[in-house]
Amino acid sequence: MTTEELTDNVLKALDEIRPFLKSDGGDISLISIEEDKHVKVRLEGACTSCSVNQMTLRAGVETTIKKFAPQIETVVNVV
C-alpha cells in the first residue's frame, strides 16, 4: 500500500467513526502518519475532557483504523 493509499484508508476509517464522536459532541482529526505504521490523531470537542477518551481511542478509533489499514501498529492522541 502506498503512503497515499494508506492516508486515504486512515481518513476513511476516521470518517466511519466520526458520526459516533459527533453524537457525543466530539470530533477527531488526523495529525500525521509516521513510518507508515504510527498514526497521530487529535480528539476534539467533548472528547478532550471525556473520562473514557482513552477507551474510545483504543476500542473505537484504533480498531477502526486497523480494519482499514492493518499495517498500522499504534494510534496515539496528541494534545
Side-chain angles (χ1 to χ4, degrees), residues 40-78:
K40 290 185 178 181
V41 296
R42 179 171 292 128
L43 291 170
E44 301 170 344
C47 290
T48 59
S49 60
C50 178
S51 63
V52 295
N53 68 8
Q54 286 305 308
M55 185 177 3
T56 299
L57 187 66
R58 297 286 168 248
V61 177
E62 186 173 309
T63 301
T64 304
I65 288 174
K66 287 181 175 182
K67 181 174 78 173
F68 282 82
Q71 72 270 36
I72 295 301
E73 294 177 7
T74 63
V75 178
V76 295
N77 180 44
V78 295

Side-chain angles (χ1 to χ4, degrees), residues 27-41:
D27 204 353
I28 191 166
S29 296
L30 176 63
I31 303 302
S32 65
I33 302 173
E34 298 175 0
E35 300 174 15
D36 287 346
K37 57 186 173 182
H38 305 291
V39 175
K40 290 185 178 181
V41 296

